[in-house]
Amino acid sequence: MPSGAIDRQVTADYARRAAGTWAHRFILSGTTTGGHQASEAERAAVAELWAETIGVERLTACCWTTADITNATAAGAVPMVVLRDLASDREALNLFASLPRPSYLFSHPEFSPTTLTPQLAAAAQTAGILPAAAKVSKVPTDTIAALRTATGPDFTLWDGTARHIAESLTAGANGIVTAPLSHIPDPFPTDNVTKIQAAIDTVQHHLDTHHGREARTAALFAMAMPGTGHAR
């Protein structure tokens, strides 16, 4: 998205490539593509374009503001609401109660001192306001296990790290979010934990040689769109 402009053709082509894989869901306007730095109008345009290109069944849109939630819902994408600048569990519970159904959560300590802990999840479950799913980042596998216990079997839990897939799944995650495969390698790894982990580890080793999120994002864009270097 150079200079705030979406290259609609490149982005649509990328969306179709992604849809041709077995990946279960695509997160739009997340941190990998700098969605938190885009405008609300830009994030809405991304959701609309993906929905028009591949449909909405596999889409969720990261929502950084209240307007983002409205725009994602209008596009037909399930909102993935970022826990952002929440001062307490009470504020988080008030947020959960206000969300449309279905909604997902994105919990990352970079964006809020209050994150989705097992205690918060249990309180939301008891109050009947726990959203349908969450992506949790920067948590160890024992926290994944505690979150699974707190949320119960019907809640969908995604681990935000792909460095130890087997351990995450054993701990209770339903799946993992893998930025290292967001460039859609060809061939795409088969739906096998060992082969997926090997493919991820190869890319992650390359990304780890780049320092900072912006540098790693640039490296992923270069792999995803050689000769263009940009897309959303």
Side-chain angles (χ1 to χ4, degrees):
M1 189 181 287
S3 303
I6 298 174
D7 187 325
R8 295 185 64 85
Q9 186 59 56
V10 169
T11 302
D13 288 346
Y14 173 85
R16 282 188 283 268
R17 284 174 53 206
T21 72
W22 54 262
H24 300 291
R25 194 163 292 273
F26 308 111
I27 301 174
L28 309 181
S29 297
T31 54
T32 298
T33 53
H36 54 306
Q37 299 171 331
S39 70
E40 291 172 344
E42 289 165 350
R43 291 191 289 265
V46 167
E48 290 168 2
L49 179 55
W50 275 73
E52 291 169 2
T53 303
I54 68 167
V56 299
E57 291 78 11
R58 297 158 77 184
L59 299 185
T60 181
C62 261
C63 295
W64 300 88
T65 67
T66 301
D68 286 344
I69 299 173
T70 300
N71 293 336
T73 302
V78 178
M80 177 175 275
V81 180
V82 181
L83 302 189
R84 199 170 195 188
D85 300 326
L86 299 173
S88 66
D89 282 5
R90 175 50 55 191
E91 282 192 12
L93 292 171
N94 289 340
L95 171 65
F96 298 171
S98 72
L99 297 178
R101 299 293 190 260
S103 291
Y104 306 150
L105 302 175
F106 175 25
S107 174
H108 194 304
E110 177 181 351
F111 301 109
S112 176
T114 297
T115 58
L116 186 67
T117 62
Q119 294 74 22
L120 175 57
Q125 181 78 292
T126 299
I129 56 173
L130 184 68
K135 171 192 172 185
V136 292
S137 298
K138 306 297 182 183
V139 299
T141 52
D142 59 347
T143 299
I144 293 289
L147 281 166
R148 170 53 62 212
T149 298
T151 55
D154 296 331
F155 183 80
T156 300
L157 182 61
W158 297 299
D159 192 346
T161 181
R163 293 180 185 266
H164 42 66
I165 300 172
E167 291 87 345
S168 295
L169 297 178
T170 298
N174 295 95
I176 55 94
V177 177
T178 173
L181 295 186
S182 60
H183 66 293
I184 318 296
D186 184 18
F188 198 75
T190 59
D191 189 2
N192 172 277
V193 169
T194 300
K195 292 181 178 180
I196 297 168
Q197 189 71 71
I200 289 171
D201 289 348
T202 297
V203 178
Q204 189 67 62
H205 177 74
H206 172 63
L207 295 177
D208 286 344
T209 66
H210 296 75
H211 301 291
R213 179 181 289 150
E214 290 186 4
R216 290 189 292 271
T217 294
L220 282 169
F221 277 149
M223 289 188 286
M225 304 290 172
T228 66
H230 60 272
R232 276 282 188 263

